[in-house]
Amino acid sequence: MNIQRFIDRRKELGYSQSELAKGICTQATISKFENNGKMISTKILTQLCQRLGLSLNDIFPSEADSDSAVRAELRRAEFDLITTEYDDALGILRSLEIDQIGDKQIQMEYLFIRGYALALSKRDVDEAIFCFDQILNGYDEAHTTVYSPLAYVGMGISYQQAGNFDKAEFYFSKMPERLKTNANKDVDSVWKSLTMLFYTGNFYAARNEIEISNMLLQSLINLSSDRHVTFYVAQAQYQLADNEYSVNGKTQRFSELISDAFAFARFNRNRNLIKQIDLYAKKRV
């Protein structure tokens, strides 16, 4: 039984034992499980694992589960994507023998992360578009999984990075209504919803459509608060601060937003964002 995997994942996501237990069990139940290995019911453990984005196979690994190690590495890469460590994410992906994996979901997860990392780092926008095209016109032609809306946003990011805002608008414009109806049953789906909300909100800010941008970013913050996931909050607060500055200048609200952004960036140890916010704030003193 791999209890350490459970503990590491909880800490990685910033959950306290009490926060993780909320609505499922008591804090004492988790404490006894983590510290003493006291077994809990399968029903409760399944719910806790779902909240952490784990499967029971992660806690009770078997040799037959050959994909579990790949899934774990992809989770690491997605976390690097969220914290803008694009080189690290791509490095993890290069270490995987993804062609030998037959699971379609794993393939789409790989393509989603690779496409975003390539587009956001401006390494290879054409290759990023090809990654998303494989999802939309190959693995998920019926557009029934979360990877299709992720691919739409990825296409938008790619064209935005290439300076083609009209094409980017075509893809981003599909997202606001879809984002409202996207299910957020576990941590992984929450992460993906936050990713789509942030980059869509970021795009509309770049288009100076501040009202739409603010609506999407506030939805991100609300979802983050509801699900106790903080990793995108700093970036959202930072963009909201920039939106406020572009409309009203250096107001009290601007100062509060930039302060909150810096605090969350430090809390999440997002080094790149800390530097970015610090430089941005100094230019507006």
Side-chain angles (χ1 to χ4, degrees):
M1 183 166 62
N2 191 353
I3 296 176
Q4 191 59 46
R5 178 76 184 93
F6 182 95
I7 296 170
D8 290 345
R9 180 66 166 172
R10 175 177 65 77
K11 291 181 178 179
E12 177 184 316
L13 296 175
Y15 281 113
S16 67
Q17 290 181 345
S18 297
E19 288 171 337
L20 178 59
K22 188 175 181 180
I24 298 176
C25 62
T26 65
Q27 180 270 332
T29 298
I30 295 178
S31 177
K32 291 175 182 177
F33 175 67
E34 291 188 351
N35 297 322
N36 304 320
K38 183 175 180 180
M39 194 54 200
I40 53 183
S41 73
T42 301
K43 180 180 178 181
I44 289 176
L45 185 57
T46 298
Q47 290 177 305
L48 293 172
C49 285
Q50 286 177 341
R51 185 165 286 179
L52 293 174
L54 297 173
S55 70
L56 290 180
N57 284 336
D58 292 317
I59 309 303
F60 302 99
S62 66
E63 293 182 4
D65 188 11
S66 60
D67 294 346
S68 62
V70 175
R71 292 181 189 276
E73 288 300 285
L74 287 172
R75 279 195 290 269
R76 284 182 56 218
E78 186 175 5
F79 183 74
D80 285 335
L81 182 68
I82 291 171
T83 57
T84 68
E85 301 287 351
Y86 306 127
D87 288 344
D88 291 345
L90 290 168
I92 291 171
L93 297 184
R94 282 194 295 270
S95 72
L96 301 177
E97 296 180 355
I98 201 68
D99 291 339
Q100 298 182 20
I101 302 296
D103 188 295
K104 285 187 176 182
Q105 184 174 354
I106 292 179
Q107 293 278 0
M108 288 190 289
E109 181 79 6
Y110 173 89
L111 290 168
F112 141 61
I113 297 170
R114 185 165 187 265
Y116 272 64
L118 289 171
L120 290 166
S121 64
K122 297 184 179 180
R123 280 174 173 261
D124 193 335
V125 171
D126 288 339
E127 181 63 23
I129 290 172
F130 181 57
C131 287
F132 303 130
D133 189 55
Q134 288 179 76
I135 293 173
L136 293 170
N137 297 306
Y139 290 105
D140 192 25
E141 282 187 289
H143 297 181
T144 57
T145 76
V146 69
Y147 294 100
S148 280
L150 278 167
Y152 280 127
V153 172
M155 286 286 212
I157 293 169
S158 300
Y159 284 117
Q160 181 182 3
Q161 295 289 66
N164 193 328
F165 279 76
D166 288 338
K167 287 185 178 180
E169 171 78 24
F170 173 80
Y171 290 101
F172 280 118
S173 65
K174 297 175 179 290
M175 297 318 303
E177 289 304 317
R178 295 185 184 213
L179 287 166
K180 290 178 183 178
T181 59
N182 193 52
N184 297 298
K185 297 179 180 179
D186 54 40
V187 170
D188 282 342
S189 62
V190 171
W191 276 15
K192 289 172 172 56
S193 289
L194 295 176
T195 294
M196 291 186 282
L197 283 165
F198 175 71
Y199 287 108
T200 307
N202 179 273
F203 170 76
Y204 282 107
R207 295 283 281 183
N208 204 33
E209 297 185 44
I210 302 302
E211 186 175 347
I212 296 176
S213 175
N214 286 347
M215 180 271 292
L216 291 164
L217 295 171
Q218 191 59 54
S219 294
L220 182 158
I221 291 171
N222 293 342
L223 177 59
S224 297
S225 177
D226 290 343
R227 301 305 298 269
H228 307 288
V229 179
T230 64
F231 298 113
Y232 266 115
V233 173
Q235 296 179 66
Q237 296 278 25
Y238 177 38
Q239 184 62 65
L240 283 168
D242 190 51
N243 290 355
E244 174 68 15
Y245 188 86
S246 69
V247 175
N248 299 313
K250 191 176 179 182
T251 62
Q252 178 65 28
R253 174 168 167 73
F254 166 80
S255 298
E256 291 172 354
L257 287 166
I258 208 71
S259 177
D260 287 347
F262 191 76
F264 274 104
R266 290 187 63 186
F267 178 79
N268 290 323
R269 300 178 183 177
N270 190 330
R271 296 167 296 176
N272 292 338
L273 188 59
I274 289 170
K275 293 177 183 177
Q276 190 176 351
I277 294 172
D278 187 51
L279 181 62
Y280 176 88
K282 285 178 179 177
K283 288 182 177 179
R284 285 155 181 79
V285 171

